[in-house]
Amino acid sequence: MSELQINTTQNVKITFNAAGAGERLLAFIIDMAIKIGYMLVLNWTFGAFDNMDQWSQIAINTVLSFPVMFYTLVLESILQGQTIGKRALKIRVVKIDGYQASFSDYVVRWFFRIVDVYILGLGFFIMLFNKKSQRLGDMAAGTAVIGLKDNVNINHTILENLKENYKPTYPNVIKLSDNDARIIKETFNVARASKDYQTLIKLRQKIIEVAGIKTVKQSNDMEFIDVILKDYNFYTQDM
């Protein structure tokens, strides 16, 4: 698994592990097995329609095949860059700039599957020789697929050490995703170590905007971000 360096909009470099071609291939196989299973069930369930006229049969088959056609696009959009296969392999699609990919990014990746997957599996071979393990769809959308199962200590994860009697301050942090929390912590640690106060100010403002926090109880940027990370862990530890 190669390292992937992401440059955030605050010009902070964060290092992730890029998902390997093998992991992505296995995730693809899992997703493909689900699609095939769906089609087999449909074939068995709707076999009674075989006596219909040709055009009616084509129309029904087209409508019923929509879940297979849009499987990847829909799941990546609603599961924050994951399909069932990607979730099983603990990998996720992210933007190269460190932010979560948008719907338009997922559309570009989905469209390029025609070339990457269905034309001699071209995307798989491109990933093998690409430093960021990107296929053509990733390059076009400005995305990459990262691994989420890093063998690192707590300081390199979104986890925080909480006291047993810890009382949270900002319930709105549940609006953040795991990917958001990871980026916040990585950016926070780098900016704090380098005393990059401008980045800390921008990070604070972005958190307030995304989480919809109305009242901030800490005047110090570092204290505020530290509380945000602890609150996020408090509210999500049992999810």
Side-chain angles (χ1 to χ4, degrees):
M1 186 178 287
S2 59
E3 286 191 342
L4 171 64
Q5 196 172 72
I6 290 178
N7 294 309
T8 70
T9 53
Q10 290 84 24
N11 293 320
V12 176
K13 293 182 179 180
I14 302 173
T15 300
F16 294 96
N17 283 327
E23 287 179 297
R24 295 182 65 173
L25 177 61
L26 185 55
F28 171 79
I29 291 174
I30 292 173
D31 289 328
M32 183 58 69
I34 293 172
K35 295 177 187 179
I36 293 173
Y38 168 80
M39 295 302 293
L40 289 175
V41 170
L42 283 185
N43 184 58
W44 175 74
T45 305
F46 292 92
F49 292 105
D50 289 342
N51 58 352
M52 290 181 125
D53 64 88
Q54 181 180 5
W55 290 109
S56 296
Q57 187 66 48
I58 291 175
I60 290 176
N61 289 339
T62 300
V63 172
L64 293 178
S65 66
F66 280 172
V68 171
M69 293 170 57
F70 297 103
Y71 170 91
T72 301
L73 175 60
V74 172
L75 287 188
E76 286 187 349
S77 299
I78 65 178
L79 297 181
Q80 299 179 337
Q82 291 183 303
T83 59
I84 294 174
K86 287 185 177 70
R87 178 160 288 190
L89 271 293
K90 296 184 179 180
I91 59 178
R92 172 177 289 166
V93 179
V94 297
K95 287 287 288 182
I96 292 297
D97 62 9
Y99 282 95
Q100 185 174 311
S102 66
F103 179 72
S104 60
D105 298 320
Y106 297 132
V107 170
V108 173
R109 297 183 78 258
W110 172 78
F111 180 79
F112 270 85
R113 289 174 67 85
I114 298 173
V115 177
D116 283 325
V117 177
Y118 301 112
I119 298 182
L120 302 176
L122 184 62
F124 176 76
F125 296 102
I126 291 176
M127 281 189 288
L128 291 176
F129 299 100
N130 186 286
K131 291 182 179 180
K132 296 178 181 178
S133 295
Q134 292 174 297
R135 61 178 177 86
L136 288 176
D138 288 315
M139 295 178 193
T143 59
V145 179
I146 62 171
L148 303 176
K149 49 184 178 182
D150 301 329
N151 296 318
V152 293
N153 60 47
I154 193 170
N155 291 324
H156 295 103
T157 70
I158 64 173
L159 300 177
E160 293 285 332
N161 286 313
L162 300 180
K163 296 180 180 179
E164 291 184 5
N165 60 347
Y166 180 79
K167 294 182 179 180
T169 306
Y170 303 105
N172 281 33
V173 295
I174 60 174
K175 293 182 179 181
L176 302 173
S177 66
D178 283 354
N179 192 45
D180 293 331
R182 179 178 179 129
I183 292 172
I184 290 169
K185 184 165 185 178
E186 292 280 357
T187 306
F188 176 52
N189 287 339
V190 173
R192 180 173 55 180
S194 61
K195 297 183 179 180
D196 185 353
Y197 300 114
Q198 286 300 315
T199 293
L200 290 172
I201 292 172
K202 292 179 181 179
L203 183 58
R204 172 194 178 108
Q205 293 171 341
K206 190 65 178 178
I207 293 171
I208 292 173
E209 175 189 340
V210 173
I213 297 172
K214 303 299 182 182
T215 304
V216 178
K217 299 182 179 181
Q218 291 79 24
S219 58
N220 182 283
D221 295 328
M222 286 190 286
E223 289 180 4
F224 170 74
I225 298 170
D226 185 59
V227 170
I228 288 293
L229 290 169
K230 285 183 168 60
D231 282 3
Y232 182 81
N233 273 259
F234 178 86
Y235 285 112
T236 60
Q237 59 187 348
D238 296 324
M239 295 177 70

